[in-house]
Amino acid sequence: MKASPGARSWIAAGVRHELLTRALPALRHDMSAPVSVMRMGLLMLRRQVAAPTIDPAACEQRVALIDNQIGELISAVRSLRDWELATNDDGITRTALVTQCVGLMRAAFDLHSVRLDVDESLLAPVDGEPVYPAGAALRYLLLGVMGHLHDTAARVASITIKADVDGGLCVSAIHGSPEASEFDSEPTPESHRAPRALAIDAIALQSLAEDLGYLLLIERDTVCFALTPA
C-alpha cells in the first residue's frame, strides 16, 4: 500500500525527532556548562563577601563572570528555536550550517572512532557569503545525511563534508582500510549504530528531504544536495 501524504509527513517528523534526540547531548552540554560556571562563581563570591575585608574589585570580577554566563545560557536556550520549522527564519550560510552540524555531532562520532573531516573552504566564514533561507530545514537535512551515512555504511572510518560545485554540499562515508577488514577474524563491532528500527535508511532520508522541500542525489556512500529548495 502506498503511503499517504499524511503518513509521509509523519515519517519525516519521526526522522526529525530522531535527529533532535541525537543532537540533545551537545545541546544539553551547551546549557549546563554556564550553570556550572555560575555555581562556582557564586561560591567564590559568597566566600569573598563573608571575608573580614571585602575586595570590591574581586567581587565585581565574579559578578561580571556570572553575568557573562547568564548571557551564554540565554543564548543557548534561545538556540532551541532554531529547531522549529518556522515559515520564515533568519536563514543560514553554508559555513555556519556545516560548523553547527559538525559541532553537534563531532563528540558522538569521535566516541566511536568515526572522524569528521571538513573541506577547508567550509571552515571559515567568507565576506559576502550568501544566506540561504530555512536554516532549520537545512540543519535537519545535513544532520540527516550525516546520520544516514553513519547508520548504513559498513565499517565507517570517517565522514567527509565537501563543497559542491553548485554551492551545495557533498557528504561521503570513507571505509576503514581494506587490509584491516581482510585479516580481521571477527566483524568490527557496530555498537555505535542506531537500533535497526531507528536507523536512518535511504527511504527515511528521502522522506525527510521531500517533506522539507529539497532534492537529494544519493549514490553509494555519498549524498549531495543543493542548499536551495527544489
Side-chain angles (χ1 to χ4, degrees):
M1 179 183 297
K2 187 176 181 180
S4 67
R8 290 195 294 271
S9 295
W10 274 110
I11 292 173
V15 177
R16 292 198 304 272
H17 178 270
E18 171 64 16
L19 292 172
L20 180 56
T21 300
R22 297 186 187 194
L24 271 179
L27 296 174
R28 186 167 55 243
H29 176 269
D30 290 342
M31 294 180 189
S32 61
V35 174
S36 298
V37 176
M38 282 190 290
R39 291 184 63 184
M40 181 61 67
L42 285 172
L43 176 62
M44 298 302 296
L45 182 60
R46 186 178 295 112
R47 290 180 178 177
Q48 289 166 348
V49 171
T53 58
I54 298 177
D55 184 349
C59 292
E60 181 63 28
Q61 184 181 15
R62 298 300 176 187
V63 170
L65 173 65
I66 295 171
D67 183 66
N68 176 265
Q69 293 303 307
I70 289 175
E72 293 288 335
L73 180 58
I74 291 174
S75 177
V77 173
R78 284 179 175 172
S79 70
L80 292 177
R81 70 180 176 86
D82 295 340
W83 296 87
E84 300 174 3
L85 292 177
T87 304
N88 295 305
D89 59 28
D90 298 334
I92 195 169
T93 64
R94 184 172 65 174
T95 302
L97 172 67
V98 173
T99 300
Q100 290 180 18
C101 291
V102 169
L104 288 168
M105 291 291 105
R106 186 179 292 281
F109 280 24
D110 284 347
L111 183 63
H112 301 290
S113 302
V114 178
R115 191 174 65 253
L116 279 174
D117 295 327
V118 182
D119 190 355
E120 290 186 359
S121 64
L122 300 172
L123 292 177
V126 179
D127 291 338
E129 188 176 2
V131 177
Y132 297 93
L138 287 171
R139 187 179 297 103
Y140 277 118
L141 188 61
L142 179 53
L143 289 175
V145 171
M146 294 166 64
H148 165 69
L149 294 172
H150 177 270
D151 290 353
T152 59
R155 295 180 179 275
V156 181
S158 65
I159 292 177
T160 63
I161 304 176
K162 296 182 178 181
D164 201 2
V165 291
D166 62 354
L169 293 170
C170 278
V171 187
S172 302
I174 308 300
H175 300 277
S177 63
E179 294 81 5
S181 61
E182 180 180 355
F183 295 104
D184 283 346
S185 58
E186 295 183 1
T188 302
E190 303 292 353
S191 58
H192 65 280
R193 294 181 184 274
R196 182 176 297 275
L198 297 178
I200 302 174
D201 58 17
I203 295 176
L205 180 62
Q206 192 64 54
S207 298
L208 174 68
E210 291 177 357
D211 187 70
L212 296 175
Y214 292 85
L215 290 178
L216 297 177
L217 177 60
I218 304 177
E219 299 178 344
R220 179 180 175 83
D221 298 334
T222 299
V223 180
C224 298
F225 60 94
L227 301 185
T228 51

